[in-house]
Amino acid sequence: MHLQSAAAFLALLASACPHVTHAKQQGLRRKLAANDCTIMAIESLGLEEGEDPEMIIECELNPDDADGVSGISLLLDASPAQLGALRQLINGGQVTPGHHKLNIVGAEIDDSAVHVPPGLDIASLVRQNVEQEGRRRLVSTTGDLKMLLVKVTDSGGLVYSDSPAVMSDEVFGTGTDPVNIKSALEECSWNKITVLPKAL
């Protein structure tokens, strides 16, 4: 994928996938007040052949642990076994990031992470988030998603320099580009969306 289209690609991907906001907390390591957090996950797409970045798991803090501010998340610092169990539940569809909560009594937070006590069985502490009021609602579209790609020239005469064929490849993967907006949306939806180029 060309660097020119990276900003648009990332903006579209961010709007389609659950994403998290990092924040700096003041002070030393302290116990969580709420004893739970909402599970969030980031899975980067490998841009190089053979690259398979590992899923990053974070915790969206309860406002009680973030000076009353909603939407603050920190890295989940846990053992490889604990993170592996949680990734397996996410990949298997049993845990939905942004929806399920993690009851982590005894966990501590500092300015960079939520620290999970060693040996804690994280998988057994996942629960449904029943406090959905006031939270953002992600698009629940499934099935065929028709998408139209239009090349335009703005009022100042500026136009995207790539040919329609190259642009189509970057968005729909119609040529040799294996990482494109179509593949990202389909993977992000766990293949519940099929992107179809809109015929004119």
Side-chain angles (χ1 to χ4, degrees):
M1 178 173 293
H2 290 234
L3 186 58
Q4 291 175 322
S5 62
F9 172 74
L10 291 174
L12 181 58
L13 185 58
S15 69
C17 300
H19 64 281
V20 292
T21 304
H22 295 275
K24 290 286 183 182
Q25 301 289 325
Q26 299 299 320
L28 301 174
R29 186 182 285 201
R30 62 193 189 279
K31 295 282 187 187
L32 279 169
N35 288 328
D36 65 14
C37 63
T38 302
I39 299 166
M40 304 298 278
I42 304 170
E43 191 165 26
S44 302
L45 297 174
L47 297 179
E48 301 296 329
E49 189 172 339
E51 186 179 331
D52 188 18
E54 195 167 61
M55 179 190 298
I56 298 169
I57 301 177
E58 299 192 349
C59 265
E60 182 180 311
L61 300 177
N62 185 295
D64 292 343
D65 292 305
D67 298 324
V69 179
S70 298
I72 303 299
S73 67
L74 296 172
L75 185 69
L76 187 65
D77 176 32
S79 72
Q82 290 170 320
L83 291 174
L86 202 46
R87 287 187 185 106
Q88 189 172 11
L89 290 172
I90 292 171
N91 288 330
Q94 294 98 333
V95 169
T96 303
H99 178 73
H100 283 91
K101 282 188 170 264
L102 193 59
N103 182 11
I104 43 179
V105 177
E108 298 179 336
I109 58 173
D110 60 20
D111 63 346
S112 62
V114 175
H115 303 276
V116 178
L120 187 68
D121 181 7
I122 285 188
S124 68
L125 299 176
V126 173
R127 61 183 178 83
Q128 292 281 342
N129 184 1
V130 295
E131 302 168 3
Q132 289 295 305
E133 296 305 317
R135 290 184 53 81
R136 65 194 178 103
R137 298 287 188 250
L138 299 174
V139 176
S140 59
T141 301
T142 59
D144 293 343
L145 177 64
K146 293 182 180 177
M147 186 179 291
L148 177 64
L149 176 63
V150 179
K151 183 172 181 175
V152 298
T153 302
D154 72 10
S155 59
L158 297 176
V159 62
Y160 191 67
S161 61
D162 282 344
S163 69
V166 171
M167 291 174 65
S168 176
D169 188 26
E170 291 179 350
V171 174
F172 300 118
T174 53
T176 60
D177 189 352
V179 180
N180 49 71
I181 292 177
K182 178 183 187 314
S183 68
L185 289 173
E186 291 175 352
E187 184 173 340
C188 189
S189 72
W190 303 98
N191 294 315
K192 292 181 180 177
I193 291 176
T194 301
V195 176
L196 301 175
K198 174 70 173 164
L200 294 178

